[in-house]
Amino acid sequence: MIATALFRVEELPTDGAATVRVSLMGPSLCAGFPSPADDFVENALELPRWLVPNPPATFLWRIAGDSMRDAGIFDGDLACVDRSLKPSHGSVVVAAVDGEMSIKRMVVEGNRAHLSFDNAELPIYALEELAEVNVWGVVRFTIRWHVSRVGQGR
């Protein structure tokens, strides 16, 4: 089990200098069936240090698709992915499936783990038996805009 620190609003650090830069990876992370994409650092955002306990192992990915909507992760969101966290049953993970990055739910049954969508309207996510799967990191949280973003068609 992964231990996380929970804070009440009055306990949150107020020191504006306590921020870290987190790399924004591009292109978007596929929230659906994996599609070919080269990963690279696109930009960076500054986030409060208390949100990012391990900055060197933390990256942001923009989400494309709706396969994780039942987990509250939607097209256009930013997923904060921590490579230092150990994935477990129920974790939302970023995985390289045959070299293509994708976001899925990890399901552990007995001593076997598999990946699944979190959208009841989609078919079961089936991997080829010989597919190469590497869990790249665990989604710590997501960021969603609730207002229109000018210039991005939203």
Side-chain angles (χ1 to χ4, degrees):
M1 176 173 254
I2 299 169
T4 58
L6 297 177
F7 295 97
R8 292 190 311 258
V9 172
E10 61 272 10
E11 296 174 328
L12 296 176
T14 57
D15 180 5
T19 62
V20 294
R21 291 182 60 78
V22 180
S23 295
L24 177 61
M25 305 298 285
S28 297
L29 185 60
C30 178
F33 296 95
S35 61
D38 296 325
D39 57 352
F40 60 92
V41 175
E42 182 179 281
N43 210 332
L45 292 178
E46 285 193 8
L47 295 174
R49 179 73 167 91
W50 58 268
L51 277 177
V52 186
N54 192 350
T58 305
F59 300 88
L60 294 169
W61 287 88
R62 188 172 316 282
I63 302 298
D66 65 353
S67 74
M68 298 300 290
R69 74 175 188 199
D70 293 346
I73 301 172
F74 299 94
D75 185 65
D77 288 357
L78 289 178
C80 182
V81 182
D82 189 333
R83 297 196 72 191
S84 70
L85 296 177
K86 182 179 178 184
S88 60
H89 176 72
S91 295
V92 174
V93 299
V94 171
V97 179
D98 289 331
E100 299 167 0
M101 302 305 277
S102 186
I103 183 171
K104 300 286 180 277
R105 172 87 58 194
M106 177 180 272
V107 179
V108 179
E109 295 171 337
N111 62 353
R112 295 195 52 163
H114 68 273
L115 303 175
S116 70
F117 292 132
D118 236 348
N119 181 337
E121 295 180 9
L122 292 177
I124 292 173
Y125 180 70
L127 285 172
E128 298 294 323
E129 191 166 320
L130 298 176
E132 182 179 334
V133 178
N134 293 307
V135 174
W136 193 82
V138 175
V139 175
R140 183 177 283 281
F141 62 88
T142 59
I143 300 170
R144 178 176 316 119
W145 282 262
H146 293 274
V147 295
S148 176
R149 291 181 281 164
V150 178
Q152 294 188 353
R154 299 184 197 279

